[in-house]
Amino acid sequence: MSVAEAKSAITQGALEAVFDDAGNVDQRFPVPVLQCLQIKPLAAQPAGGAASVERYRVVLSDVRNYVQCMLATQANHVIHDNQLVRGCIVRVKSYQANSVKGKNILIILDLDVADNLGVHDRIGEPVAFESKPAQEGNTTTIGGSGFYGAKSESPAVKSEPLPSRSAPQKSGSTNHGGPVIYPIEALSPYAHKWTIKARVSAKSDIKTWHKPSGEGKLFSVNLLDESGEIKATGFNEQCDQYYDMLQEGSVYYISNPCRIQFAKKQFSNLPNDYELTFERDTVIEKAEDSSNVPQVRYNFVNIQALQEVEKDSTIDIVGVLKEVGEVNQIVSKTTQKPYDKRELTLVDDSQFSVRVTIWGKSATAFDSQPESVVAFKGVKVSDFGGRSLSLLSSGTMSVDPDIEEAHRLKGWYDSQGASGSFNTHNNLSSMGAATGRQDQTKSISQVKDEMLGMDNPGGDYFNLKATVVYIRQENFCYPACMNSDCNKKVIDQGDGTWHCEKCQADHPRPEYRYISSINVNDHTGQIWLSCFDEVSRIIMDGMTADQAMELKENDEPALAAKFEAANFTKLNFRVRAKMDTYGDNQKIRYQVMNATPLDFKSEALKLADMIKQFDISS
């Protein structure tokens, strides 16, 4: 499309109307059409353990004027999909207009790119928009120093909030009893006289504490609107005042006085730099119209991608429930209090599985069956066993949620996933992926001839395609501590309890873990490999060591049959060869770090490429 046609499509004068004629802008420019002049990623904002929050600042022009804009995180997809580029024409469907200490800012909540209008150099000679002076007596403020990159100015300068607007097909923010409805993403410690309209997406139990300095109680809720989420906490009297009033899933108007402060990231799983604290005079009123407030906001990570997520990060994940463990009880090393836990195994269409631990009431009340789809919001990533997850107390769990990702996974699992095999994460395989190191594939004779592991104190790593021919059945597992960060061997006390020397904790029973020794063959020879629990589960077709021990005690022929059935399994092993010392003797130990089923299609392609290298006719 020509520049002239693009120019005619742009709604010239829209920016002036947005800021200086807010009462009539919906009639004059229901969906402003503007040109994107600049896109700039801002410095990543830390979100505690969570992944950094992406922020983008853009400059939009209506040919006459241009203004600084901030993309709400919900609109970042236009960046990720390479739709929003410099020079393109956009339709702004929903926005929040603010005048922050003399600087005009648009928070873009929703927009789309007009592909048919093309990409052009800057159209016209727009100038920075300057709003009319605020009316005398208006003392409402928003924002503050550094608000979305705004330049810091004298604190004596007041700022004027303007209502948010939406396209006619979507419900926009409205005034409620006079105050402007602010998007959660616009709140900061410098905001005053604000009202948010938000859904309670999660609500905690009331928690109590007892210290030498005193005692108290608290509860928290996660509040959600279309721009973002924020945590709100009530202490002591506010527990009695607001706990029963705020119900999960309902929508409320919440107005200050309500303290806004920097978030304590160790207690929150939300990607927001701020959090709210209810006060005695905080105004909370239930909203009758909740149609324009989303139910829940997920930012899912697929299971395979967990290897790229840093330890202690907080993420959302969805998967098909493959296994449901029994409820176990552990004793905290710090508080010496018992805690109930249950381990779930999730799989998804990345062909990976991961273990998720749930706690307390969530663990004891869990009654969903395998093949259900479960979505978690707010799980902590651990590097134990490569990658594992733990549901935070501030997190939530939803079984068979009515969301697109859940329907897609259910369809995949029913059609092909139920019969598939799944990879697991492993510390060292994750490390190799992170460093970009590619381990060479070796034959067994090459491993021995090259004496891998002999001269490298850190060990040599290699890939090996081989077939399991024998599994040593003596001492194939050991009784382990049930604390997820321990797994040391526990000692039978003879009184029905098992003691862990490391944790100094007693357990009603151990959690058995594999420590297997297997013999594998390829076309060049045989070698003994050592396998820990995760790899042994793959070899044993998903059977846990607890299940194997139960068979050993009750039906040894059935256990022998399971071992026999595992023979002749062909796998791709990732192995570390390292010199170990046993007494006065030294010996190379081959430890399996990860094992995956062979992808016969890719293996066939590799062989075809090898044949081509020796094809003399080519």
Side-chain angles (χ1 to χ4, degrees):
M1 181 168 286
S2 68
V3 173
E5 290 173 311
K7 183 176 180 179
S8 65
I10 295 174
T11 47
Q12 299 186 36
L15 294 178
E16 180 181 9
V18 164
F19 288 96
D20 289 343
D21 191 15
N24 298 312
V25 67
D26 281 346
Q27 289 72 38
R28 295 176 59 192
F29 305 106
V31 183
V33 178
L34 307 171
Q35 184 183 25
C36 177
L37 301 183
Q38 188 182 76
I39 305 170
K40 181 181 180 182
L42 299 180
Q45 300 294 318
S52 298
V53 180
E54 290 181 298
R55 300 285 190 185
Y56 293 94
R57 182 163 52 194
V58 298
V59 176
L60 297 182
S61 162
D62 68 359
V63 178
R64 300 178 190 174
N65 301 106
Y66 67 82
V67 70
Q68 299 279 347
C69 305
M70 183 70 193
L71 277 188
T73 53
Q74 70 195 58
N76 283 350
H77 63 90
V78 295
I79 300 285
H80 300 156
D81 297 340
N82 295 319
Q83 295 178 326
L84 186 66
V85 296
R86 186 172 181 175
C88 70
I89 310 300
V90 301
R91 290 183 286 263
V92 181
K93 299 162 66 177
S94 181
Y95 60 87
Q96 168 77 30
N98 292 296
S99 180
V100 183
K101 295 191 174 182
K103 297 294 183 181
N104 299 299
I105 298 288
L106 272 184
I107 302 173
I108 306 298
L109 302 175
D110 189 16
L111 83 166
D112 60 30
V113 177
D115 295 326
N116 61 315
L117 295 179
V119 176
H120 309 277
D121 292 334
R122 183 180 62 186
I123 299 175
E125 296 293 333
V127 297
F129 176 73
E130 293 184 5
S131 183
K132 296 177 182 178
Q135 294 182 1
E136 189 174 347
N138 190 340
T139 60
T140 306
T141 63
I142 185 173
S145 175
F147 175 69
Y148 294 142
K151 184 178 179 182
S152 177
E153 298 186 9
S154 168
V157 180
K158 298 298 181 181
S159 54
E160 180 182 6
L162 293 159
S164 64
R165 302 289 179 186
S166 298
Q169 65 270 24
K170 297 180 67 177
S171 298
S173 299
T174 59
N175 287 1
H176 175 71
V180 171
I181 303 301
Y182 281 93
I184 284 174
E185 196 168 50
L187 294 177
S188 79
Y190 308 97
H192 302 284
K193 295 185 179 178
W194 50 264
T195 297
I196 60 173
K197 181 182 180 183
R199 188 183 303 275
V200 176
S201 60
K203 176 182 173 182
S204 75
D205 295 329
I206 293 178
K207 302 174 183 178
T208 59
W209 74 86
H210 303 274
K211 298 180 180 178
S213 57
E215 59 184 34
K217 58 184 178 180
L218 63 87
F219 82 102
S220 64
V221 292
N222 292 346
L223 301 173
L224 166 73
D225 72 6
E226 62 178 5
S227 75
E229 291 181 88
I230 194 167
K231 178 183 176 182
T233 304
F235 293 89
N236 300 321
E237 291 83 0
Q238 278 64 61
C239 283
D240 302 328
Q241 192 173 359
Y242 301 122
Y243 186 81
D244 292 334
M245 177 189 300
L246 293 169
Q247 295 299 316
E248 191 168 326
S250 296
V251 177
Y252 300 87
Y253 294 103
I254 302 174
S255 305
N256 65 338
C258 185
R259 190 163 70 252
I260 303 175
Q261 59 197 20
F262 286 101
K264 299 179 179 67
K265 295 301 185 181
Q266 66 271 35
F267 303 121
S268 176
N269 64 303
L270 301 182
N272 197 317
D273 293 329
Y274 304 113
E275 63 186 21
L276 304 177
T277 300
F278 295 131
E279 297 184 346
R280 182 179 58 186
D281 297 323
T282 299
V283 179
I284 302 178
E285 181 181 346
K286 189 169 184 179
E288 298 303 325
D289 176 21
S290 61
S291 59
N292 63 332
V293 183
Q295 294 286 339
V296 67
R297 185 183 304 280
Y298 291 107
N299 186 20
F300 290 124
V301 175
N302 73 44
I303 298 176
Q304 182 181 20
L306 288 175
Q307 62 187 3
E308 301 169 8
V309 179
E310 292 186 7
K311 176 181 180 291
D312 296 329
S313 295
T314 302
I315 63 159
D316 304 337
I317 198 161
V318 61
V320 179
L321 190 62
K322 187 72 171 176
E323 297 177 8
V324 180
E326 299 295 327
V327 175
N328 296 315
Q329 194 172 82
I330 65 169
V331 178
S332 169
K333 292 182 287 186
T334 54
T335 65
Q336 296 301 309
K337 292 182 179 179
Y339 292 94
D340 293 317
K341 74 165 189 174
R342 187 194 295 266
E343 290 188 349
L344 312 176
T345 301
L346 292 185
V347 299
D348 69 9
D349 52 358
S350 68
Q351 303 300 321
F352 270 74
S353 67
V354 68
R355 189 172 68 253
V356 183
T357 303
I358 58 177
W359 304 88
K361 292 181 180 178
S362 296
T364 55
F366 188 85
D367 61 354
S368 298
Q369 298 301 312
E371 300 188 5
S372 303
V373 177
V374 188
F376 291 90
K377 182 171 182 61
V379 289
K380 184 178 180 180
V381 179
S382 166
D383 61 359
F384 174 74
R387 283 294 183 269
S388 58
L389 305 172
S390 179
L391 181 62
L392 298 172
S393 59
S394 57
T396 59
M397 173 178 59
S398 178
V399 178
D400 291 326
D402 185 15
I403 57 176
E404 179 182 351
E405 293 88 344
H407 298 317
R408 178 181 58 80
L409 281 176
K410 183 62 175 174
W412 158 79
Y413 191 81
D414 289 344
S415 63
Q416 55 184 294
S419 59
S421 55
F422 298 91
N423 303 319
T424 59
H425 292 287
N426 181 276
N427 281 321
L428 292 174
S429 62
S430 297
M431 186 184 301
T435 58
R437 181 181 64 206
Q438 297 294 322
D439 300 320
Q440 290 185 332
T441 298
K442 302 283 187 180
S443 67
I444 291 175
S445 63
Q446 287 175 319
V447 171
K448 294 180 177 180
D449 293 343
E450 296 173 19
M451 294 187 291
L452 296 181
M454 180 71 73
D455 301 320
N456 187 351
D460 293 314
Y461 295 87
F462 60 92
N463 293 326
L464 174 67
K465 290 193 287 287
T467 301
V468 178
V469 296
Y470 181 74
I471 303 172
R472 187 170 289 158
Q473 299 181 29
E474 300 81 11
N475 302 319
F476 64 89
C477 66
Y478 72 98
C481 177
M482 296 179 67
N483 288 341
S484 60
D485 56 349
C486 178
N487 291 321
K488 294 295 184 182
K489 185 175 181 179
V490 292
I491 302 170
D492 186 355
Q493 300 285 83
D495 59 357
T497 63
W498 297 73
H499 182 71
C500 176
E501 293 288 348
K502 178 184 176 184
C503 299
Q504 289 299 305
D506 293 328
H507 302 290
R509 69 173 187 84
E511 178 182 21
Y512 284 95
R513 295 181 64 83
Y514 286 112
I515 180 167
S516 305
S517 182
I518 65 173
N519 189 263
V520 300
N521 284 26
D522 69 4
H523 63 289
T524 66
Q526 61 85 27
I527 196 171
W528 284 93
L529 305 177
S530 299
C531 306
F532 288 136
D533 191 66
E534 289 79 7
V535 173
S536 297
R537 287 193 191 192
I538 295 172
I539 296 171
M540 295 293 288
D541 195 25
M543 172 178 276
T544 66
D546 277 332
Q547 293 169 330
M549 278 300 294
E550 185 176 352
L551 284 181
K552 181 178 176 63
E553 294 171 359
N554 300 312
D555 191 352
E556 284 204 44
L559 177 61
K562 287 293 294 185
F563 278 116
E564 185 65 28
N567 286 335
F568 306 108
T569 302
K570 184 169 287 189
L571 297 167
N572 192 2
F573 298 95
R574 185 170 185 272
V575 185
R576 180 185 65 184
K578 185 180 178 184
M579 184 66 73
D580 277 353
T581 301
Y582 299 88
D584 296 331
N585 300 320
Q586 286 189 323
K587 182 180 179 181
I588 298 175
R589 184 185 185 196
Y590 302 100
Q591 178 70 55
V592 178
M593 313 314 299
N594 196 20
T596 57
L598 288 183
D599 182 343
F600 290 99
K601 180 179 178 180
S602 63
E603 293 296 328
L605 291 174
K606 290 178 185 177
L607 291 174
D609 288 338
M610 291 176 63
I611 292 171
K612 288 179 182 178
Q613 294 176 20
F614 297 94
D615 186 356
I616 59 175
S617 63
S618 61

